[in-house]
Amino acid sequence: MMKLTFEEEILRDLKEQADFVSGQRLAETHGLSRTAVWKRINILKQHGYEIESLPRRGYRLKSVPDLLLPAEIRSGLNTKTFGCRIFHHQEIDSTNALAKQLAARGAAEGAIVVAEQQRGGVGRLRRSWSSPKGGIWASIILRPLMPPADVPKITLVASEAVARTIEGAIETPTLIKWPNDVMVSGKKVAGILTEIASGPDEVEFVVLGIGLNADFPVSVLPAAVRGGATTLREERGEPIERTQLFRQLLENLEQDYLRLSQGGGAALFDNWRARSSTLGHMVTVATLSGKFTGVAKDIDSHGALVIEIESGEAVTVAAGDVTHLR
Ligand code: BT5
């Protein structure tokens, strides 16, 4: 378990107690002055927690905001480094952009940027990613000890972890369209954008960006995107509690990332294959060097897609957009 900040500890105490908790008691428990407790309570209030205070009785938590606040995510989070620091923003251009800046300035592995909304969310090839309120828009800083050529494996493994988490939450089969589109009922519910900073032989850092359409109706997405997209709320027909989902996501992601780092890639790739909606199908893949049509046969050890084209020849594509033909 991660070390909690004083605010997080005070919050935990308030949550455990339906009634008022005295400032004196909070001060004694945490070795703080009563003024220091009061300051922390004010910080919590600024974050949107509704806390009642009464002279002589102390403090009582009235409500917790429906936000992906660090204190909410970190309480009960069972990870080693994922979430060691969480930078939360109400609104941001792109969590990946900020995470890259933080990583370049030395932020530790496992530090996360998360936002309630993005103004300029990005997808692959600089496409735009719609990021309204109610989603989970997050970027995790990684410092993997692997050659740059192996980084695509992280994306692949992460897409399986995202899909598994979603399937657990909504109890609906969740598949992956190569390389990393997470799909429910044939529609995209989550996407992943991995960005890398590296020298020729080693990785400086990786930013793993995850966009998950969680708790909003599809109708808030732009018309051009709506047809091919879905959200967890839409699929389940009721609101989705994001904090618990995000914690589960971080736990699953970290577990697989550590397994991959320790040489467990083969088994993780098998999990990906089992969830793939692409393998075995006739597909067209649009790549920067042209289009290929054929049967998607497998992924290679780097996660590239192997297609058998009409001539019977096998073509391997490292990146591209897949259309399923049948
Ligand atoms: C992706 O790109 O799927 C990667 C998306 C990664 C977004 C996360 S959010 C946190 C982090 N910060 C960022 O700025 N980005 C990452 P790609 O495969 O290129 O898919 C992009 C295409 O998906 C767009 O061209 C649209 O057609 C469609 N799209 C856009 N927004 C969508 C949404 N919310 N849900 C489903 N599809 C969407």
Side-chain angles (χ1 to χ4, degrees):
M1 289 282 169
M2 224 124 340
K3 192 174 171 342
L4 299 181
T5 63
F6 283 124
E7 283 101 81
E8 288 168 345
E9 286 187 3
I10 289 172
L11 187 62
R12 191 186 54 199
D13 292 351
L14 294 180
K15 281 183 177 171
E16 279 168 5
Q17 196 74 46
D19 200 2
F20 283 87
V21 183
S22 78
Q24 184 63 34
R25 205 182 102 195
L26 289 170
E28 279 167 12
T29 317
H30 302 294
L32 293 168
S33 70
R34 288 181 63 169
T35 317
V37 168
W38 176 79
K39 281 187 182 152
R40 257 101 196 174
I41 294 276
N42 279 343
I43 293 175
L44 290 169
K45 283 184 182 170
Q46 279 162 18
H47 290 165
Y49 292 93
E50 228 187 315
I51 299 169
E52 196 179 351
S53 43
L54 278 184
R56 284 186 299 278
R57 299 212 47 202
Y59 304 103
R60 187 169 74 97
L61 181 63
K62 287 179 73 180
S63 76
V64 174
D66 178 20
L67 298 172
L68 293 170
L69 293 172
E72 295 303 310
I73 295 160
R74 280 159 50 85
S75 83
L77 177 66
N78 195 6
T79 56
K80 291 194 170 67
T81 66
F82 282 29
C84 56
R85 292 290 308 272
I86 300 180
F87 301 92
H88 174 262
H89 290 253
Q90 288 295 343
E91 204 181 272
I92 198 171
D93 273 339
S94 154
T95 55
N96 264 39
L98 178 59
K100 281 188 283 184
Q101 287 174 16
L102 294 172
R105 282 192 245 132
E109 172 154 282
I112 294 174
V113 179
V114 61
E116 301 296 328
Q117 273 188 89
Q118 296 186 114
R119 287 180 295 262
V122 282
R124 294 177 301 143
L125 304 171
R126 304 262 110 216
R127 287 187 282 233
S128 83
W129 181 260
S130 307
S131 315
K133 268 189 201 160
I136 296 180
W137 322 122
S139 301
I140 308 172
I141 293 169
L142 303 173
R143 299 191 178 275
L145 297 170
M146 55 175 70
D150 278 355
V151 170
K153 293 181 182 177
I154 297 179
T155 314
L156 210 83
V157 163
S159 67
E160 204 282 324
V162 172
R164 187 166 84 244
T165 309
I166 291 174
E167 188 167 286
I170 61 168
E171 296 170 352
T172 305
T174 307
L175 301 180
I176 306 162
K177 193 170 104 175
W178 183 87
N180 50 33
D181 286 353
V182 181
M183 315 285 290
V184 174
S185 314
K187 293 176 174 179
K188 185 158 170 174
V189 72
I192 295 174
L193 175 68
T194 311
E195 296 186 88
I196 173 172
S198 71
D201 303 318
E202 65 183 38
V203 175
E204 194 198 332
F205 62 79
V206 169
V207 167
L208 176 64
I210 296 168
L212 202 175
N213 299 341
D215 193 26
F216 60 86
V218 171
S219 58
V220 303
L221 290 172
V225 172
R226 219 178 285 157
T230 190
T231 74
L232 300 192
R233 189 205 280 192
E234 207 72 53
E235 293 299 318
R236 210 170 63 178
E238 55 183 67
I240 300 287
E241 214 275 297
R242 289 180 305 155
T243 313
Q244 159 64 17
L245 177 70
F246 192 40
R247 258 199 303 267
Q248 187 66 56
L249 177 64
L250 294 180
E251 289 172 8
N252 289 346
L253 282 168
E254 184 184 83
Q255 188 186 45
D256 290 2
Y257 173 66
L258 293 177
R259 268 177 84 187
L260 178 68
S261 310
Q262 289 153 7
L268 295 166
F269 271 41
D270 280 345
N271 295 344
W272 186 94
R273 287 186 180 94
R275 240 181 229 293
S276 165
S277 63
T278 306
L279 298 183
H281 286 85
M282 190 70 160
V283 297
T284 291
V285 189
T287 73
L288 292 177
S289 50
K291 278 190 176 181
F292 301 93
T293 297
V295 179
K297 284 289 182 185
D298 199 6
I299 45 166
D300 73 7
S301 60
H302 289 281
L305 187 66
V306 184
I307 321 163
E308 191 182 286
I309 58 173
E310 216 177 358
S311 63
E313 194 191 335
V315 176
T316 303
V317 289
D321 289 299
V322 168
T323 312
H324 293 185
L325 301 180
R326 62 173 156 77

